[in-house]
Amino acid sequence: MVNLSNMPNIRKILPTFFTLGALFSIIVLGVYIRSSTLSSPTVLDYDPWWFFRHAKEIVENNMKIPDWDILSYYPPGRAYAIYQGWSFTIALMYKIASNFIDISLMEIAKLSPLIMVALTPIPAFLLGRLLSNNIGGLFTALFSVIAPTFIGVSMAGYADTDVVVVFYTFLSILSIMAAIKYSKYKLRSIPFYIIAVASVLLFAFNWSAGWLPLLLFAG
């Protein structure tokens, strides 16, 4: 005989499946509406090419950021900008993907906005859930990817930092708020502080104004 008392309550499981399914649908929607430019032979626009060029230099320099950019302010060049997190991320994506499939750095650069768009609803959902509930989290995740101004600067091939700014804004705010909320647990709150610090540092490494969330919370 099957002991029905030990079986999970279907009424408790269904909301979880609905939430996960809805979040997955939002991720798919965000990627789908940006995939029409995936057939472009190169990255789109000037700034995305700048990040692609630096990603290529990082790959060719054995994943080390060069000291001198010989193409900027030609002929003397200039010292490499310290905020190279996005170019490094593209290079890292390529290194990881090339271990499993035959793919070029250009193809990874074109896919990079879609990858970040796919990741953005996750911290957006968790932030909305932290502030309200699952429904609030889903609406936050939905708005995080369908805002028209955001869509225009995160199409496939548009490998600029706009998509990075949106992702790390949600991630850093989420991690800071979680650290504040769970600070009452003392030692058990240390991992939340570590994640918050790491999120802000990564944000700043990817974008020069990545300190803004921390400054706003400090204010």
Side-chain angles (χ1 to χ4, degrees), residues 176 200 209-219:
I176 293 171
V200 173
W211 301 104
L212 285 175
L214 183 61
L215 294 175
L216 288 172
F217 273 95

Short mmCIF file of all heavy atoms in Angstrom, two decimals, residues 176 200 209-219:
data_model
loop_
_atom_site.label_atom_id
_atom_site.label_comp_id
_atom_site.label_asym_id
_atom_site.label_seq_id
_atom_site.Cartn_x
_atom_site.Cartn_y
_atom_site.Cartn_z
N ILE A 176 22.83 43.49 -1.87
CA ILE A 176 22.94 44.44 -0.76
C ILE A 176 21.71 44.36 0.14
O ILE A 176 21.83 44.34 1.37
CB ILE A 176 23.12 45.88 -1.30
CG1 ILE A 176 24.47 46.02 -1.99
CG2 ILE A 176 23.02 46.89 -0.17
CD1 ILE A 176 24.66 47.32 -2.74
N VAL A 200 29.16 44.13 -6.17
CA VAL A 200 29.50 45.53 -6.41
C VAL A 200 30.86 45.64 -7.11
O VAL A 200 31.03 46.45 -8.03
CB VAL A 200 29.50 46.32 -5.09
CG1 VAL A 200 30.02 47.74 -5.32
CG2 VAL A 200 28.09 46.38 -4.51
N ALA A 209 30.76 53.32 -13.58
CA ALA A 209 29.83 53.87 -12.58
C ALA A 209 29.15 52.76 -11.78
O ALA A 209 28.09 52.97 -11.19
CB ALA A 209 28.78 54.75 -13.25
N GLY A 210 29.78 51.59 -11.74
CA GLY A 210 29.18 50.46 -11.03
C GLY A 210 29.11 50.62 -9.52
O GLY A 210 28.49 49.80 -8.85
N TRP A 211 29.71 51.69 -8.99
CA TRP A 211 29.63 51.95 -7.55
C TRP A 211 28.32 52.60 -7.15
O TRP A 211 28.05 52.75 -5.95
CB TRP A 211 30.79 52.87 -7.12
CG TRP A 211 32.14 52.32 -7.41
CD1 TRP A 211 32.98 52.69 -8.41
CD2 TRP A 211 32.81 51.28 -6.68
NE1 TRP A 211 34.13 51.95 -8.37
CE2 TRP A 211 34.06 51.07 -7.31
CE3 TRP A 211 32.47 50.50 -5.58
CZ2 TRP A 211 34.97 50.12 -6.87
CZ3 TRP A 211 33.39 49.56 -5.14
CH2 TRP A 211 34.61 49.38 -5.75
N LEU A 212 27.51 53.01 -8.13
CA LEU A 212 26.30 53.77 -7.82
C LEU A 212 25.36 53.08 -6.84
O LEU A 212 24.87 53.73 -5.90
CB LEU A 212 25.55 54.12 -9.10
CG LEU A 212 26.15 55.26 -9.95
CD1 LEU A 212 25.38 55.44 -11.25
CD2 LEU A 212 26.15 56.55 -9.16
N PRO A 213 25.02 51.80 -6.99
CA PRO A 213 24.12 51.17 -6.01
C PRO A 213 24.65 51.24 -4.59
O PRO A 213 23.89 51.52 -3.65
CB PRO A 213 24.03 49.71 -6.51
CG PRO A 213 24.31 49.79 -7.96
CD PRO A 213 25.33 50.87 -8.09
N LEU A 214 25.95 51.01 -4.42
CA LEU A 214 26.54 51.07 -3.08
C LEU A 214 26.48 52.48 -2.53
O LEU A 214 26.16 52.69 -1.34
CB LEU A 214 27.99 50.58 -3.13
CG LEU A 214 28.72 50.52 -1.79
CD1 LEU A 214 28.01 49.55 -0.84
CD2 LEU A 214 30.17 50.08 -2.00
N LEU A 215 26.75 53.49 -3.38
CA LEU A 215 26.69 54.88 -2.93
C LEU A 215 25.26 55.29 -2.56
O LEU A 215 25.06 56.02 -1.59
CB LEU A 215 27.23 55.81 -4.04
CG LEU A 215 28.72 55.65 -4.36
CD1 LEU A 215 29.10 56.53 -5.54
CD2 LEU A 215 29.58 55.99 -3.15
N LEU A 216 24.29 54.80 -3.33
CA LEU A 216 22.89 55.13 -3.03
C LEU A 216 22.47 54.53 -1.69
O LEU A 216 21.80 55.19 -0.90
CB LEU A 216 21.98 54.62 -4.16
CG LEU A 216 22.08 55.39 -5.48
CD1 LEU A 216 21.28 54.68 -6.56
CD2 LEU A 216 21.56 56.82 -5.31
N PHE A 217 22.87 53.28 -1.45
CA PHE A 217 22.53 52.65 -0.16
C PHE A 217 23.26 53.33 0.98
O PHE A 217 22.71 53.48 2.08
CB PHE A 217 22.87 51.15 -0.21
CG PHE A 217 21.76 50.30 -0.76
CD1 PHE A 217 21.74 49.96 -2.09
CD2 PHE A 217 20.74 49.85 0.07
CE1 PHE A 217 20.72 49.19 -2.62
CE2 PHE A 217 19.72 49.06 -0.44
CZ PHE A 217 19.70 48.74 -1.78
N ALA A 218 24.51 53.74 0.75
CA ALA A 218 25.26 54.43 1.79
C ALA A 218 24.59 55.77 2.11
O ALA A 218 24.48 56.18 3.27
CB ALA A 218 26.70 54.67 1.34
N GLY A 219 24.09 56.46 1.05
CA GLY A 219 23.38 57.71 1.27
C GLY A 219 22.09 57.52 2.02
O GLY A 219 21.72 58.36 2.87
#
